Amino acid sequence: MASIFSTLKDDTLAAFDTLGSRAADFVHPTLRLGVTGLSRAGKTVFISSLVHNLLNGGRLPVFEAMRSGRVSKIRLEPQPDDAIARFQYEDHIAALVRDRIWPDSTRAIAQLRLTIDYESASGWNRMFSPGTLSVDIVDYPGEWLLDLPLLSQDFRTFSAGTLARADIGLRRDLARDWLALTAAHPATGEAREADARALAERFTAYLRACRADGRSLYTLPPGRFLMPGDLEGSPALTFAPLADLPEGRAPKGSLFAMMERRYEAYKTHVVKPFFREHFARLDRQIVLIDALQAINRGAESLADLENALTDVLACFRAGTNSFLSSLVTRRIDKVLIAATKADHLHHESHDRLEAITRRLVQRAVERIGGSGAGLEVMALASVRATREATVDHGGQALPVIVGTPIAGEKINGEVFDGRRKTAIFPGDLPADPDALFRPGTEGLDPGVSFVRFRPPHIEETGGGLKLSVPHIRLDRAMQYLIGDRLA
Ligand code: GDP
C-alpha cells in the first residue's frame, strides 16, 4: 500500500483527501467557509461579530433560517483540524464587547467550528436531512492568495515583473534604497549568505512601505514577506529579486543560483502546501476589502486594489493555473466580495459603496474572464461603531454619524480621550463610480471621514446578558454564504 501511495503525485493524494472529506460530509454535513482579505480589511472583526450574532440571537432579519425560527440551537464545537490554530473567539469578543477595543488582527491561519441544528423548510428534506450543519470558518491572510501567480513564474519572470513594478508611480520613491542595494549586487557575483539576507531585508522593507498607512499600495507578492505567519525569520523568506540576469542557466555558486533556488523552495514548501492543504478544501469564500481607504487615496490606490482583486479572483478560477486546477475542481461555488466598515458612512452612501465595489470587481472579472464561481458584492459593517443623526447647520439638516473616537484621534485639532462622543459629517460618495477611477484622480475632496471610532457600547438585558453586536447587512452576507445550506 505504502509503495502505491509513494508513487502517486502530491496532487493526486490531495484529490483523495478531498474525496474522503466529501464522504465524511455525507454523514455530518459541513461547510468550510474561508474568510480572507488583506491585512486590516476586517477579518477578525467580521468572524467575531458573525459568531456573536449567531450565538446571541442577533438582529438578522435577512438570514431566513433564523428569522423563520427554524434554527433550534447554535454552538461552538472543537474543530476537526488539530494542526491549525483555533480562532480566539472568546478573547476577541471580550476585547470588543467588554473592553470596547478592537481585537488583535489576523496574522496567520486560524479556524473555528460552529454547529447549527435546524429544521428544514421542506417536508421532504426534513425526512432525510439530519438537520445539523457544521460551519468551519477558516480565517487566513489574503496576502497568501497573492502568491498564486508565482506558481507559474520562474525566478527570471518574478524578478523582471517585480523590478518593473517598482519603477511606477508612488513605488519608485519607496523602492529607491532596495534598488540601490540590488544594483550593488550583480547576479553573477558570488553567493554570500549575508548579502542574501541584506537584500531580503531591504526588499521586505520596500514591500512594507508600500503597504504602510498613507500609501495603500496593494499588489505585492511574495505574500509571506508581509504576513509570514509561523515562518517569521525563516530562511524560506531569505530571497529577493535580482536585476540584469544573464541569459541561460544561473552560474554555479552565483548569487543568482542561490536566490533562484530559494525562490523555488518558497513555492514548493510554502505556497503549494497552503493551496493544497487549506485553500483547496474551502466550499465558500468571503473576501473583505477596505474599499473606503482606497477610495480616499485616489485612482492609483483603487487601481492597485483592483489588481489585487484580479489576482485573488484568479484563485477561484482554477482553470488558469494547472497546479490549482488539479486540486480544486470547482469546489468553491460562491464567493462574496464585501466592502467593510460601511458604518463610516451615512446609510444613503451604503448603496454607493456597493456600486463602487461592484465596479472594482467587474473590471477584475473582465480581466480574468469570469471567476468560475457564483459571485456577489456587498457593502457591510461587521460592527456598527456609530449611529446616525442629523444636526442643524445654518437651517439645513445635515446627516451626521455619532460615535466615540479612539483615544488620541484628532478632529480639527481637537484630541479625543476615548470616552467622549462626537458627531461628524462623514462625507458623501459620488453617485457615479466612474468618477473615482479616472487616472490621475487624487481621491475625494474633502474625502470620507477617517476618524477611527471605538466599538459601540452594548446594552445589557434585564438578566445581565449582553445583547448582540450591532452591524450593517451582516445578515445579508450570512444568507448568501450559508442560507441555502439550511434550506
Ligand atoms: P484583519 O487584519 O483583517 O483581521 O482586520 P481586523 O478585523 O483586525 O480589523 C482591522 C481594523 O479595522 C479594526 O481594528 C477596526 O479598527 C477596523 N474595523 C474592522 N471592521 C470594522 C467595522 O465593521 N466597523 C468599524 N468602524 N471598524 C472596523
Side-chain angles (χ1 to χ4, degrees), residues 159-181:
S159 286
T162 309
L163 289 168
R165 227 175 309 161
D167 199 28
I168 304 172
L170 284 173
R171 290 211 173 98
R172 198 173 291 145
D173 270 351
L174 304 174
R176 195 156 287 140
D177 274 3
W178 160 56
L179 291 179
L181 195 70

Side-chain angles (χ1 to χ4, degrees), residues 324-447:
L324 199 59
S325 51
S326 68
L327 294 183
V328 230
T329 35
R330 293 186 186 277
R331 179 154 180 144
I332 295 184
D333 60 348
K334 282 186 173 192
V335 178
L336 173 60
I337 312 282
T340 55
K341 311 180 192 180
D343 58 322
H344 280 106
L345 300 169
H346 208 265
H347 71 265
E348 287 138 19
S349 283
H350 293 165
D351 287 340
R352 293 183 175 187
L353 178 58
E354 220 159 85
I356 293 164
T357 309
R358 186 157 289 124
R359 172 68 202 265
L360 266 171
V361 172
Q362 178 197 337
R363 295 230 260 181
V365 167
E366 274 164 19
R367 274 160 57 183
I368 58 163
S371 78
L375 197 64
E376 182 58 277
V377 170
M378 287 176 199
L380 56 82
S382 315
V383 173
R384 176 177 208 141
T386 63
R387 62 180 178 78
E388 294 184 355
T390 43
V391 294
D392 180 53
H393 186 71
Q396 214 190 348
L398 198 62
V400 292
I401 54 174
V402 181
T404 314
I406 286 178
E409 282 288 285
K410 258 193 221 156
I411 305 175
N412 297 332
E414 186 183 356
V415 183
F416 281 78
D417 63 359
R419 282 195 292 273
R420 200 153 43 84
K421 281 192 182 161
T422 192
I424 58 162
F425 175 64
D428 283 328
L429 292 178
D432 173 18
D434 285 344
L436 296 167
F437 288 81
R438 281 181 204 116
T441 305
E442 293 283 351
L444 291 177
D445 187 21

Side-chain angles (χ1 to χ4, degrees), residues 30-51:
T30 50
L31 181 78
R32 290 179 71 85
L33 171 64
V35 179
T36 197
L38 297 179
S39 159
R40 314 288 299 163
K43 300 178 287 295
T44 310
V45 174
F46 172 82
I47 298 171
S48 304
S49 176
L50 178 121
V51 173

Side-chain angles (χ1 to χ4, degrees), residues 46 54 56 133 135 146 173-174 204 227 295 301 309 323 331 353 393 415 447:
F46 172 82
L54 286 173
N56 295 278
L133 176 73
V135 182
L146 299 183
D173 270 351
L174 304 174
T204 310
M227 271 288 148
I295 290 167
S301 247
L309 268 175
F323 165 76
R331 179 154 180 144
L353 178 58
H393 186 71
V415 183

Side-chain angles (χ1 to χ4, degrees), residues 290-307:
D290 194 342
L292 277 177
Q293 193 184 38
I295 290 167
N296 260 358
R297 304 266 152 79
E300 189 176 348
S301 247
L302 277 170
D304 245 355
L305 180 55
E306 199 178 304
N307 286 338

Side-chain angles (χ1 to χ4, degrees), residues 147-154 157 263 267 320-323:
D147 277 345
L148 183 74
L150 300 188
L151 293 179
S152 47
Q153 285 172 19
D154 60 9
T157 322
Y263 170 77
K267 284 161 55 180
T320 49
N321 184 291
S322 59
F323 165 76

